[in-house]
Amino acid sequence: MNNDVCFIIDNNELYFEKCLVDYDIPIFYVCKDSKGNRYIVLCYDTDEMSYLVAKSNNSEIVQMLEKKITMKQIFEKSKNIWKIYTEDDLESDKVEGVEFESINSEDLPVEKSFFEIASKDLKEYYDFIKCESEGYKLKKFIKAQPQIIWYMKNIQEYNIVTDSLIYNYSVKKKTEKNRTLFWSELSYKQVQKLSLEWENDCCGSELSVTRPKVTHREVLCCE
Amino acid sequence: MNEEYYLKFPSVFKEKLRSGEIQFPPDTKVQYESRIAYRGIEREEADNTPVNRSDLRSYAELGKKRAPRGGRYDANSPNYYGCSLFLNRAMVENRMKLPRAGWKLANICVKEEGGPIQLNEDTQHLCWWLYESYNEFEASIIK
């Protein structure tokens, strides 16, 4: 989690997670608290640095990124919205709980406006949030996944068994002897045979089937 | 970059550069090929004033004292002294869907004669540190 605390609401610190609209300064972005709750933040007054903060969730953020709901509707759906009038330090901010209906329409996103994913960076964030919303608990895009790996040394071919369906991700794993395996954009469907490349092949000519190995690997979510 | 070079920038920025308080990021490009980027500019419906230097003022130049929240933006960040443009117009259009935009979309040719840049292809964001006297924009207002 980014350590940059943006706001404190009822003693709950909100950390900056991802900027969706950056225009000289961050205008529209996502924050997260220590419990994993996500918040949509909108700087509606860039002169006074006043913000609307709406408690949201992965599913709604995904819906907005998929243009199933508008940028305004993500606020409308929220049960907890605050207006924050910032001061020079976080503790002095004026935090005011508000109802959606009471918010001046000029302070909200334009009616019927959909967010456009227009960069690789935002696409990656969408993938990340979507993974989480579908139940993959990825931490900073990376999480250890238990997998059973049968492997044969030095023939660059692996059978991998996963206990769940995980789509398209790349894996980077440091193995013993400081070798690193790289592969990317693989579709895992319970059992897959994969071709791998050793970064540094130092296995010599040894060719043997080793015992099944249960390992935890870091899984990097990607396209 | 030397002190003489720093003098080209707006006073609010050059003093920070000269004192060493602020430094350009390591990936700053001083020499680069010109390219088109997009920015929203404040214009009333009937106002077709050509793009000019005041359309590309940084938050620091605008004299906004209160630090924004989010990310690493503050008065100690070099980006606070630069102007945001985007290689992809949809990124600017997203901004125009948010409150108090009241803007028109402009495409602007970013040239090294105007000042150094930092470009992030992943975010499509281009930060342009404009020289104070540069005002020869090759630009058009597209909507």
Side-chain angles (χ1 to χ4, degrees), chain B residues 6 13 64 70-71 86 109 130 142:
Chain B
Y6 295 154
F13 189 31
K64 299 196 178 184
F86 287 91
C109 186
L130 282 145
I142 49 183

Side-chain angles (χ1 to χ4, degrees), chain A residues 4 22-23 29 93 110 114, chain B residues 39-40 69 71 73 84 94 97:
Chain A
D4 184 14
D22 176 341
Y23 206 83
Y29 53 96
D93 288 354
V110 173
F114 292 95
Chain B
R39 180 170 169 85
R69 299 284 171 79
Y73 282 80
S84 282
N94 278 336
K97 296 166 188 170

